[in-house]
Amino acid sequence: MFTKILIANRGEVARRVNRTAQAMGIQTVAVYSAADAQALHVQECNEAVCLGEPEAAQSYLNIDKVIAAAKQTGAQAIHPGYGFLSENAAFAQACANAHITFIGPGVEAIRIMGSKSEAKTCVQPAGVPLIPGYFGADQSLNTLQLEAERIGFPLMIKAVAGGGGKGIRIVNSAGDLQAALESCQREAKNAFGDATVMLEKQIIKPRHVEVQVFADTHGNVVHLFERDCSAQRRHQKVIEEAPAFGLTEQQREAFGRTAVQVAKAVNYVGAGTVEFLLDARGEFYFMEMNTRLQVEHPVTEMITGFDLVQWQIEIAAGLPLPATQETIHIDGHAFEARLYAENPEQGFLPAIGMVELWEVPDSIEFRTGTHAGRTAGIRLDSSMRSGLAVSPYYDPMVGKLITWAPTREAALNKLADALAQLRCVGVKNNLAWLRSLCLHPEFAAGGYDTGLIDRMTMNTKTPASSIETHTVQALAGLARWALHSQIRHKKTSDPLAMLDGFYSSAPPLREDRWAERDHIFATHTHVAAQGDVVHIQCREFALICTLHNSGNLIALPRLKGTITNGANAGSVFDLIWHGDNLSVHVGAEQANLQWQNPAHIHADQGHDAHGVAAPMPGKVFAVFVKVGDTVKKGQPLIGLEAMKMEHTLNSPCDGVVQTIPHPVGDQVTEGTELIHFSDDAKST
């Protein structure tokens, strides 16, 4: 067995691998970029080596630097995690050349399965069912157009070296093909260094079902059953579950048997995932094989009781598989929700910034080993803590929340409850949106397809908040009074002391204006405090609360308490300020408000707001209009590449383009104006 391994990754997966390795008595080496110097994985490993600048190409993707770090520290093996170099055949070969064990499959298996087109060619002789398509070497526009006509529309363009939802476009007609090809090839080149694409017939309303496989160096291959990963946005998974809902035993056996055939076709060794599409008739088709540990591997650990990272390490050390197919069984049901720094209200655009508060309830645990996380049925794999920043250089995932229970319904309810208890303040995130997905009737019923989230976005007008309107307004007024008191006294952040000096006869501080999404409302609030009981009068509505003496929990102003009257009587509330933003939590529900600071409103007066600004740092890769063009609301204007993905920014209104300050190739920061409309826009 190894005595020291290097973990060639960052974030939650680096912490995940480290915990298992240390539990096995193996010393660990972390690598990190300058942006991750304070990261938790750096602190928790036995040693750490800085690879260089924040850009991944200068650090986590630099093969020479990773190999040098392993040699420098005497690491006998390298675990690549997922992402970065995990599916890079050149990296696996570099490890072999340096006499360092790569904890993963062989070079040839990575190379073959790293190309979606070659993978299909390899498994076809084994009788593995394939989606009709084109995966040839000829990448000329004429050939791709002819093949697209043969396949028929709608179809999908996929980068052959793709992964993580990148390099995928859906094309509904021949007229859209060329633009989609160029966009897909450009994104594939930027993300994977390979612009080669393939075409596939689009399966209508498919489910995405994948099977976990393991193989050792002694010729043994097993599967650990399937996961359903159909809940996706932008072709990226957000909630996964195991086992897949509604499969017959015959279907489950067929999935497992086919996945094992795929692994055997390339003499596979280690952990791999074989991905399929399941259509409405019950037929399934091979998509690809991921030659690494998956982000969603914890749900398989939860239903089987095995530590998959331990399996990886033992297999790489030459040991046989620790279980046979006959001894692997499904126990209960598990879900995983991916926690992202992103804005669901703006097309799930990635978000960056400082996480001022990251608070995890005591009921959530992070364990490895047999039945990891099963004590409470709730597990969190994360690398986040209060005071860490979400960087623009890497994937915006900040953690994964995993739940287990004997039944699917119980596991899903547990996930929704746990999402409501987590606190992430300071950067936009998808926690509340994930909870709404858990409660969506179609998702809760199971058997949903990959188009569910798109249908939710298009067909459902999600209310700004499910908390009773008067309650939100009264608590917002309470939060403003409390914050004003804290600013005035500057003595304490004890929520009880904050309200010292407030009486029912005191006049309102001012009319406070708030924004919740696109809704603006005002509050006129009187607050009376007696001990830990406060009476809030907000226009005709009265609310009585009992405050909890939380003390100086964090640097952010915060109030916690219990509502004692009205529709929300008995509910615990939690009010957290971040700048001019207020998070209002009542029970399991959440509202996000922005106080309309009069100073900010005044500063914006006279400024023509008719324009488009960069929602995140990125590089302009395309400009679809020119100065003088008349544009309509919703028309594409600018293409921005950020976090290795392309984002199209559309016009917020009708207007005439006056200026385009930044041409293609410019690197811009968040908030930079990219398009400015003339005064004509004001009248449209």
Side-chain angles (χ1 to χ4, degrees), residues 18 51 56 112 134 311 330 450 559-560 581 596 599 638:
N18 175 63
L51 295 177
I112 293 172
Y134 171 74
W311 278 34
I330 295 174
T450 57
L559 276 176
K560 299 176 79 173
N581 298 289
Q596 303 296 283
I638 289 280

Side-chain angles (χ1 to χ4, degrees), residues 204-225:
I204 305 301
K205 292 189 174 181
R207 292 173 65 184
H208 183 144
V209 178
E210 63 186 31
V211 179
Q212 178 74 68
V213 295
F214 263 90
D216 62 23
T217 56
H218 304 273
N220 304 306
V221 185
V222 299
H223 69 82
L224 287 87
F225 301 103

Side-chain angles (χ1 to χ4, degrees), residues 364-382:
I364 296 177
E365 57 187 331
F366 185 150
R367 296 186 180 183
T368 57
T370 303
H371 292 271
R374 290 273 290 272
T375 304
I378 309 174
R379 164 178 162 185
L380 178 68
D381 290 14
S382 174

Side-chain angles (χ1 to χ4, degrees), residues 142-195:
N142 183 60
T143 295
L144 292 172
Q145 287 175 329
L146 290 173
E147 290 294 336
E149 292 292 344
R150 178 184 64 81
I151 296 165
F153 297 92
L155 58 77
M156 299 186 75
I157 307 170
K158 292 185 177 181
V160 299
K166 301 179 181 70
I168 298 176
R169 299 292 185 274
I170 296 174
V171 184
N172 292 307
S173 67
D176 298 331
L177 181 65
Q178 184 172 349
L181 272 170
E182 292 171 353
S183 175
C184 186
Q185 289 167 334
R186 186 169 51 242
E187 185 173 273
K189 181 66 175 177
N190 290 336
F192 314 112
D194 184 351

Side-chain angles (χ1 to χ4, degrees), residues 61-69 94:
L61 288 175
N62 191 305
I63 293 175
D64 291 341
K65 289 183 178 180
V66 173
I67 296 294

Side-chain angles (χ1 to χ4, degrees), residues 176-336:
D176 298 331
L177 181 65
Q178 184 172 349
L181 272 170
E182 292 171 353
S183 175
C184 186
Q185 289 167 334
R186 186 169 51 242
E187 185 173 273
K189 181 66 175 177
N190 290 336
F192 314 112
D194 184 351
T196 308
V197 299
M198 56 179 281
L199 307 178
E200 278 186 348
K201 180 70 176 175
Q202 186 182 12
I203 305 299
I204 305 301
K205 292 189 174 181
R207 292 173 65 184
H208 183 144
V209 178
E210 63 186 31
V211 179
Q212 178 74 68
V213 295
F214 263 90
D216 62 23
T217 56
H218 304 273
N220 304 306
V221 185
V222 299
H223 69 82
L224 287 87
F225 301 103
E226 80 287 344
R227 305 182 282 251
D228 192 317
C229 307
S230 301
Q232 303 177 6
R233 88 284 183 269
R234 297 202 314 263
H235 308 293
Q236 290 182 310
K237 306 163 188 173
V238 286
I239 294 185
E240 302 97 347
E241 61 177 297
F245 175 82
L247 294 189
T248 65
E249 285 306 311
Q250 292 76 15
Q251 285 178 308
R252 177 161 289 124
E253 191 276 332
F255 269 118
R257 181 181 69 253
T258 305
V260 169
Q261 288 174 339
V262 170
K264 289 181 176 179
V266 287
N267 298 315
Y268 201 79
V269 173
T273 303
V274 185
E275 306 203 357
F276 301 95
L277 285 183
L278 174 66
D279 68 17
R281 302 170 302 166
E283 301 292 328
F284 64 88
Y285 307 92
F286 170 77
M287 281 200 303
E288 62 182 332
M289 183 179 191
N290 289 318
T291 56
R292 54 172 166 80
L293 194 69
Q294 291 281 92
V295 175
E296 58 272 20
H297 77 274
V299 294
T300 298
E301 292 185 323
M302 295 290 250
I303 66 165
T304 62
F306 297 116
D307 183 333
L308 301 192
V309 175
Q310 182 174 339
W311 278 34
Q312 285 186 293
I313 295 172
E314 290 177 347
I315 289 169
L319 298 179
L321 284 168
T324 63
Q325 194 66 66
E326 294 71 28
T327 61
I328 302 171
H329 305 287
I330 295 174
D331 180 13
H333 204 97
F335 283 92
E336 173 184 286

